[in-house]
């Protein structure tokens, strides 16, 4: 049986950076509130690039870094809640753009846990021998479903994409363990872009709800409780101690959530990678963007054990332990 090794990392942030001061000209907010409540200073916003466009930039870098031919790619998974279309899926658009003619391709929808879910799927295809080279992305154009008149949400989100090449390996342990959950019963605490049924056969008297909305307090409490439990369960399954973990790469939603997580887990905050100040909350893209940045900074060392942990809409949450 093969293991799932991450063989390359890449990210792409759209060039247009929007600062807290820029937003304070649009809604009643200020740099101090946003920084102290969330840790965000800047986010990147697309000027027309879609989720598949962002992935293609990431894919091109992954191909260049790894030297793989697009024809050797067996499978493409895109985690996203902001696909270009309902169909074709985002992954098929990426497949066509990079000429990965031998791949099969589909999207995964699990909001801010999307990349963890997609990696879990990729790992199974590697372990059962169906695929040897898989591109896994998290890509979001959250700006398209943000209510830019709502100060409680518009300051939080950003656009961007990150991705990895997952390869079948006999030498690297790769994905060692996972702990993944959903709680649909609380799903309506974080919603976005609902399907609006208004047809010749049904006159809908409800307003269309195109935007992201969340009960921020409830999600904060959920995240700070469930994520540490998930990381504990993950490490117990793997028989790995917290001291043996080099880094935790959490979904970048709010630095206060990450601080609370570190405290509950009794792990030093220095082990938690954060780049929310520069990117905002990019949902499914935040973990692969963080991984690519860590790779650029030389933080990911061969043999290191790293925890990836996502949480958000669904509600969904989940953690993976990987060996670099
Ligand atoms: O990625 C998916 C998962 N999402 C998350 O994990 C997000 C989890 N939630 C959070 O991170 C936090 O709940 C938020 C950052 C969304 C909000 O922080 P908070 O400390 O929970 O603030 P709040 O919503 O309780 O609002 C506190 C005050 C309110 O004013 P009053 O009622 O106390 O007078 C808000 O109206 O802050 C006000 N406020 C703002 N003020 C200035 C809300 N947004 C803003 C703003 N600028 N942008």
């Amino acid at each position: 049986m093969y293991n799932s090794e991450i063989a390359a990392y890449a990210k792409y942030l759209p060039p247009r950076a929007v600062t807290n001061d820029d937003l304070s000209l649009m809604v009643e907010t200020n740099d101090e509130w946003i920084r102290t409540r969330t840790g965000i200073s800047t986010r990147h916003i697309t000027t027309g690039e879609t989720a598949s466009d962002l992935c293609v930039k990431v894919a091109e870098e992954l191909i260049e870094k790894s030297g793989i031919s697009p024809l050797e790619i067996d499978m493409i998974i895109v985690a996203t809640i902001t696909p270009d279309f309902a169909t074709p899926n985002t992954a098929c658009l990426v497949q066509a753009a990079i000429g990965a003619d031998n791949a099969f391709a589909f999207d995964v929808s699990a909001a801010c846990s999307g990349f963890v879910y997609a990696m879990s799927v990729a790992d199974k295809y590697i372990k059962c021998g169906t695929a040897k080279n898989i591109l896994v992305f998290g890509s979001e154009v959250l700006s398209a479903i943000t209510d830019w008149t709502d100060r409680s949400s518009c300051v939080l989100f950003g656009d961007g994409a990150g991705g990895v090449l997952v390869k079948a390996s006999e030498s690297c342990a790769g994905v060692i363990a996972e702990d993944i959950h959903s709680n649909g019963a609380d799903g309506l605490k974080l919603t976005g872009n609902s399907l609006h049924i208004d047809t010749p056969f049904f006159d809908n008297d409800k307003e269309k709800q195109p935007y992201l909305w969340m009960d921020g307090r409830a999600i904060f409490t959920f995240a700070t409780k469930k994520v540490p439990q998930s990381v504990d369960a993950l490490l117990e399954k793997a028989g790995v101690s917290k001291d043996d973990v080099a880094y935790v790469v959490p979904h970048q939603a709010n630095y206060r959530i990450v601080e609370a997580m570190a405290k509950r887990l009794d792990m030093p905050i220095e082990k938690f990678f954060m780049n929310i100040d520069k990117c905002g909350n990019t949902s499914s893209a935040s973990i692969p963007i963080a991984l690519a940045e860590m790779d650029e900074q030389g933080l990911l060392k061969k043999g290191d054990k790293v925890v990836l942990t996502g949480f958000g809409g669904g509600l969904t949450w989940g953690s993976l332990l990987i060996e670099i």
Side-chain angles (χ1 to χ4, degrees):
M1 192 172 77
Y2 290 104
N3 297 323
S4 309
E5 175 180 11
I6 299 185
Y9 307 82
K11 65 171 173 33
Y12 176 76
L13 296 169
R16 175 79 163 93
V18 175
T19 65
N20 294 343
D21 287 337
D22 292 333
L23 293 177
S24 70
L25 302 174
M26 295 163 51
V27 288
E28 202 183 323
T29 190
N30 57 74
D31 178 58
E32 210 251 332
W33 191 96
I34 303 171
R35 270 191 300 103
T36 53
R37 295 287 176 128
T38 69
I40 301 167
S41 301
T42 308
R43 72 288 290 145
H44 292 256
I45 302 293
T46 86
T47 47
E49 290 164 300
T50 63
S52 73
D53 294 331
L54 304 181
C55 283
V56 170
K57 295 266 204 256
V58 175
E60 285 167 352
E61 197 180 322
L62 289 172
I63 288 166
E64 196 190 314
K65 277 181 171 165
S66 64
I68 196 172
S69 152
L71 296 175
E72 292 174 273
I73 297 164
D74 306 308
M75 185 176 170
I76 301 173
I77 312 178
V78 177
T80 186
I81 55 166
T82 48
D84 301 22
F85 299 100
T87 189
N89 67 49
T90 317
C92 280
L93 296 171
V94 177
Q95 178 203 14
I98 63 172
D101 297 348
N102 298 318
F104 63 105
F106 58 91
D107 291 1
V108 162
S109 172
C112 310
S113 314
F115 184 74
V116 168
Y117 273 57
M119 281 293 295
S120 166
V121 175
D123 179 47
K124 306 304 176 297
Y125 275 92
I126 296 274
K127 286 195 168 129
C128 75
T130 306
K132 289 211 158 40
N133 297 300
I134 307 179
L135 297 183
V136 184
F137 302 93
S139 181
E140 300 291 3
V141 181
L142 296 176
S143 59
I145 58 166
T146 295
D147 180 353
W148 291 102
T149 64
D150 174 14
R151 70 174 183 173
S152 70
S153 62
C154 77
V155 301
L156 303 174
F157 303 114
D159 299 335
V164 296
L165 169 64
V166 181
K167 280 184 90 73
S169 166
E170 286 177 310
S171 56
C172 172
V175 177
I176 299 170
E178 67 179 36
D179 179 77
I180 298 189
H181 302 270
S182 303
N183 170 17
D186 282 336
L188 297 183
K189 289 183 174 159
L190 203 174
T191 59
N193 200 15
S194 67
L195 183 69
H196 189 68
I197 302 168
D198 196 344
T199 69
F201 314 101
F202 179 67
D203 190 11
N204 200 336
D205 55 4
K206 288 197 190 117
E207 294 254 310
K208 183 173 163 63
Q209 293 188 345
Y211 301 123
L212 276 171
W213 174 88
M214 71 177 149
D215 177 344
R217 286 267 170 97
I219 300 298
F220 194 102
T221 307
F222 144 74
T224 51
K225 186 172 166 209
K226 292 295 185 183
V227 176
Q229 284 174 2
S230 170
V231 173
D232 272 334
L234 174 80
L235 296 178
E236 197 181 321
K237 279 181 205 173
V240 167
S241 80
K242 287 172 187 165
D243 289 345
D244 290 335
V245 172
Y247 284 102
V248 179
V249 186
H251 164 50
Q252 311 281 312
N254 187 324
Y255 88 98
R256 289 188 295 140
I257 292 179
V258 180
E259 278 183 344
M261 259 181 220
K263 209 168 162 196
R264 282 213 179 180
L265 283 164
D266 195 21
M267 289 175 76
I269 189 74
E270 293 73 28
K271 283 197 177 184
F272 290 73
F273 185 81
M274 278 190 265
N275 63 357
I276 190 170
D277 59 321
K278 293 174 289 193
C279 302
N281 178 346
T282 57
S283 191
S284 69
S286 82
I287 294 175
I289 289 172
L291 283 171
E293 193 175 327
M294 293 171 79
D295 183 50
E296 281 165 18
Q297 293 178 19
L299 299 177
L300 300 174
K301 306 247 164 39
K302 202 86 202 127
D304 272 359
K305 292 190 174 56
V306 172
V307 172
L308 314 182
T309 188
F311 53 88
L315 301 178
T316 57
W317 67 104
S319 310
L320 291 183
L321 180 67
I322 57 171
E323 183 183 290
I324 301 300

